[in-house]
Amino acid sequence: MTVLDPDTLSRYSDRVNSKPVSERADAAANRRRILAAAEELFATRGPDITMGELAAAAGVGRGTLYRRYDSVAAVAVALLDEHERRLQEAMLSGPPPLGPGAAPRERLVAFYDAMIDVLERHLPLALGAETGARRYQTGAYGFWRVFVAAQVREAGLKDEALPDVLLAPLAPDLYQNQRHERGMSVAAVKKALHRLAYALPEGAVSRGP
């Protein structure tokens, strides 16, 4: 049985959630102001905001903003990371079915449900951080891919492309289209993803992270 390599997942988790080892009090205060302002702007305006608007809303200078984040997308990634950290911890060491101890397809079902919940709550952030090529460059996508690839292997399949295929339906722009342009319910989207997860063979029960 192939188990999920906890060192690999932890490496992605550390990259996603890393913060400066040493941060001055004023720098920390600026970071909190920037992220709070960004969350408000994303919630009310969506991803189409400018760095100038963000600096003004946060009450910091443009130079201060650019020293920490080089783009609106980078700010969105940082904000989304805050919300995804808890999910990553549950995948590594939480109870089944999302955590270790469930069959691969059951873990994939739980993962799909958790990710749809994140998208439903934080879609403007996800649209700002994880669309187009940016989606595949984030540490979070690497983390999700390692997890899904492990479920594929534990189900007895050898298919390098399948993890990306299984992650494709979680693209934020697709979810926006499903929910807000085509009127699909959260339950309908989850039901379709459950069917996709059950395309995996039953596999063995995962006993590692």
Side-chain angles (χ1 to χ4, degrees), residues 42-55:
F42 277 114
T44 58
R45 299 261 308 276
D48 297 324
I49 62 175
T50 68
M51 291 290 273
E53 291 169 335
L54 178 53

Side-chain angles (χ1 to χ4, degrees), residues 7-137:
D7 292 335
T8 302
L9 270 183
S10 294
R11 172 166 52 85
Y12 278 109
S13 183
D14 290 344
R15 184 197 308 173
V16 167
N17 299 318
S18 62
K19 290 187 173 61
V21 174
S22 179
E23 188 176 33
R24 298 193 319 269
D26 60 335
N30 284 337
R31 173 173 54 81
R32 289 191 294 269
R33 282 199 293 268
I34 290 167
L35 294 181
E39 185 144 38
E40 177 66 22
L41 285 174
F42 277 114
T44 58
R45 299 261 308 276
D48 297 324
I49 62 175
T50 68
M51 291 290 273
E53 291 169 335
L54 178 53
V60 301
R62 280 173 169 263
T64 297
L65 177 59
Y66 275 101
R67 276 193 294 275
R68 185 173 287 273
Y69 306 105
D70 62 6
S71 65
V72 170
V75 179
V77 168
L79 262 177
L80 197 59
D81 289 347
E82 294 288 332
H83 297 302
E84 290 175 335
R85 182 185 299 113
R86 194 171 302 169
L87 174 55
Q88 294 167 10
E89 292 171 351
M91 291 162 65
L92 283 168
S93 57
L98 184 57
R105 65 187 184 187
E106 298 294 343
R107 293 192 77 184
L108 188 56
V109 165
F111 169 71
Y112 277 147
D113 284 350
M115 286 298 293
I116 290 300
D117 290 342
V118 169
L119 286 173
E120 183 66 18
R121 289 193 300 267
H122 306 295
L123 184 58
L125 291 180
L127 288 168
E130 297 181 351
T131 55
R134 289 195 305 267
R135 171 171 166 78
Y136 309 102
Q137 296 164 357

Side-chain angles (χ1 to χ4, degrees), residues 110-181:
F111 169 71
Y112 277 147
D113 284 350
M115 286 298 293
I116 290 300
D117 290 342
V118 169
L119 286 173
E120 183 66 18
R121 289 193 300 267
H122 306 295
L123 184 58
L125 291 180
L127 288 168
E130 297 181 351
T131 55
R134 289 195 305 267
R135 171 171 166 78
Y136 309 102
Q137 296 164 357
T138 63
Y141 185 85
F143 185 96
W144 310 140
R145 194 185 187 284
V146 169
F147 175 84
V148 173
Q151 308 319 307
V152 169
R153 290 194 304 270
E154 291 181 11
L157 301 177
K158 294 182 179 180
D159 191 328
E160 182 66 20
L162 187 55
D164 295 301
V165 172
L166 293 171
L167 285 167
L170 297 174
D173 46 352
L174 173 60
Y175 189 72
Q176 180 189 42
N177 177 268
Q178 290 173 323
R179 289 283 289 125
H180 302 292
E181 296 177 30

